[in-house]
Amino acid sequence: QQLGYTVHCCARNTLQMLGFTVTVVSATHLPLEIESRIGEFLASFLDSLAAMPATEFAKNVEAAVANRLQRDRNLAEEAARYFPEIEARTFVFDRAEREAELMRATSQSELTEWARRALVGDEARRLSVHVHKGGADPAGEALPDGALRFELETEKAKLSTWTQPDEPLPPLAM
C-alpha cells in the first residue's frame, strides 16, 4: 500500500545522539494510520532481520563495514569527518575503524534483540510530528497514546522575539 508521495527512513547521529527517522508525507492517510503502518513495517523488518540466513547477514555486515571504511575522496569529506570530533572535543579520529570493529563483533541475535528494544519495545522513545497544510483543521483528529497537541501559532505568540537594531555596524579597527 502506498502511504504517501514521500516515504523514507534513515539512521541519524545528531550531536552523538543516535536516532532512526521514518518520514512519510501523505495527503491521503491520517497520522494515526501512518503511525500504525510504520509500526507494522518495523516489526516486519525486525522479523526479516531475525530470519535472515547467517551468510546473508555476514555479507550485509561486510558491506556496511566497507561503506564505513571508505576513504575520503576530497578535502571536504576529510574535514567533515574531523571537525565534528574537534567540535565535540571527543578527538576520536579513528572512529570509523573502531565502529567497523564493533560492527563485525556484533552478532545477528544481539543486533536483532537491541533493535527490537530500541525501535518497537517498551524502551523505545518516539517523537511524532504531524504537520498539516494551511487551512486543515486537525483539532478533531485522534492522537496517539501519550501525544500532546501543539498549536504552532499559539506557542509562537508566547515567545519573545529579537529584532535587528537599525544602527550601522561600528567601523573596523585598523
Side-chain angles (χ1 to χ4, degrees):
Q1 176 185 4
Q2 184 170 339
L3 290 178
Y5 52 89
T6 300
V7 178
H8 71 274
C9 59
C10 66
R12 298 179 55 106
N13 183 347
T14 305
L15 301 173
Q16 303 303 315
M17 181 64 68
L18 299 179
F20 184 73
T21 302
V22 178
T23 303
V24 178
V25 178
S26 177
T28 58
H29 292 76
L30 293 173
L32 275 179
E33 180 182 358
I34 292 170
E35 288 194 24
S36 172
R37 294 302 305 270
I38 290 170
E40 291 170 16
F41 161 75
L42 291 173
S44 170
F45 168 75
L46 294 170
D47 289 344
S48 68
L49 177 61
M52 183 183 295
T55 54
E56 187 178 342
F57 179 78
K59 285 181 186 177
N60 278 285
V61 168
E62 285 309 312
V65 165
N67 188 44
R68 190 66 183 102
L69 294 177
Q70 278 186 345
R71 294 177 56 93
D72 299 323
R73 293 175 295 218
N74 53 48
L75 185 58
E77 287 182 0
E78 188 173 9
R81 186 167 46 88
Y82 286 134
F83 277 108
E85 296 293 340
I86 295 166
E87 191 174 55
R89 297 180 181 263
T90 53
F91 309 113
V92 182
F93 299 114
D94 63 342
R95 184 176 302 278
E97 291 78 9
R98 291 182 188 194
E99 288 178 358
E101 186 178 317
L102 291 170
M103 291 163 73
R104 287 186 174 122
T106 303
S107 72
Q108 184 173 355
S109 61
E110 289 172 327
L111 178 62
T112 303
E113 182 181 315
W114 171 83
R116 279 196 199 286
R117 282 194 324 269
L119 297 177
V120 296
D122 292 337
E123 295 178 33
R125 290 179 271 164
R126 294 176 189 85
L127 170 64
S128 180
V129 178
H130 305 174
V131 179
H132 299 268
K133 70 177 188 174
D137 181 17
E141 181 184 299
L143 294 174
D145 291 339
L148 301 172
R149 191 170 307 279
F150 179 89
E151 299 295 337
L152 182 62
E153 294 305 318
T154 303
E155 297 304 319
K156 276 176 48 178
K158 296 176 188 177
L159 298 174
S160 61
T161 58
W162 179 82
T163 55
Q164 174 75 32
D166 290 336
E167 303 162 11
L169 293 174
L172 293 174
M174 295 290 180

